[in-house]
């Protein structure tokens, strides 16, 4: 397993989370939702942070557990099977993957309202993933 690669991804996740927090700081909900460029920036920061989570899951699954997952959710399942993350957290991360897919592929539009709710209530899930992964390194 390439720990340096994983640490770079962790750093990227933390940078994105910090950027999101900075963009939300001292702004009212309506100010955020009425600024389409801000909403796009927040979506992009969240999307790429989740993509880094997925990259880490794929890398660890393949390099540490010698399993090539067919998709991101299976990569999370491999981490759960090996005790890296709990089954409960796997469900959270699976939801993250679904959100990322909706943003990227446009399966469903992710409204500014929904994005705001996720960022306010679930941004810490990214840090929890980082903490779980760091225990492995």
């Amino acid at each position: 397993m390439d720990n340096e690669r994983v640490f770079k991804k962790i750093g990227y996740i933390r940078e994105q989370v910090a950027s999101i927090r900075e963009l939300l700081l001292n702004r009212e909900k309506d100010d955020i939702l009425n600024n389409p460029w801000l909403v796009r920036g927040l979506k992009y920061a969240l999307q790429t942070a989740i993509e880094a989570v997925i990259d880490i899951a794929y890398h660890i699954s393949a390099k540490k557990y010698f399993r090539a997952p067919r998709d991101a959710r299976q990569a999370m399942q491999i981490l759960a099977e090996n005790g890296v993350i709990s089954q409960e957290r796997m469900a959270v991360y699976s939801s993250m993957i679904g959100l990322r897919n909706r943003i990227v592929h446009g399966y469903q539009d992710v409204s500014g309202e929904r994005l705001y709710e996720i960022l306010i209530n679930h941004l810490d899930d990214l840090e929890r993933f980082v903490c779980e992964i760091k225990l492995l390194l």
Side-chain angles (χ1 to χ4, degrees):
M1 188 169 77
D2 185 346
N3 286 0
E4 183 177 335
R5 179 178 175 179
V6 175
F7 276 119
K8 283 183 182 179
K9 295 289 183 179
I10 286 172
Y12 184 80
I13 293 166
R14 287 186 163 157
E15 286 173 14
Q16 295 306 88
V17 169
S19 294
I20 290 168
R21 290 190 195 288
E22 186 177 327
L23 288 170
L24 294 174
L25 188 65
N26 299 323
R27 286 190 168 92
E28 296 294 322
K29 178 180 176 181
D30 286 340
D31 294 335
I32 293 166
L33 297 180
N34 290 322
N35 184 333
W37 286 106
L38 182 55
V39 170
R40 287 179 186 166
L42 290 166
K43 276 185 185 180
Y44 180 76
L46 181 59
Q47 169 198 323
T48 58
I50 296 169
E51 287 172 355
V53 165
I54 292 167
D55 290 346
I56 290 170
Y58 271 114
H59 181 74
I60 293 171
S61 295
K63 299 297 182 180
K64 183 163 180 66
Y65 300 112
F66 308 105
R67 293 180 58 194
R70 72 180 171 276
D71 59 30
R73 286 190 173 97
Q74 186 180 41
M76 288 298 171
Q77 181 63 43
I78 292 167
L79 296 185
E81 288 169 4
N82 287 282
V84 178
I85 61 174
S86 69
Q87 287 293 329
E88 176 185 329
R89 298 303 308 160
M90 191 195 87
V92 170
Y93 304 140
S94 183
S95 292
M96 260 190 222
I97 292 164
L99 173 66
R100 179 254 175 214
N101 290 345
R102 286 190 302 279
I103 291 171
V104 171
H105 301 295
Y107 296 141
Q108 289 179 316
D109 185 38
V110 178
S111 70
E113 190 78 35
R114 178 71 177 129
L115 175 70
Y116 182 82
E117 185 270 325
I118 289 166
L119 295 176
I120 295 300
N121 297 312
H122 301 286
L123 195 57
D124 289 340
D125 291 336
L126 292 165
E127 183 60 32
R128 284 188 196 100
F129 178 81
V130 164
C131 290
E132 289 172 315
I133 296 304
K134 285 184 80 176
L135 291 175
L136 192 62
L137 306 175

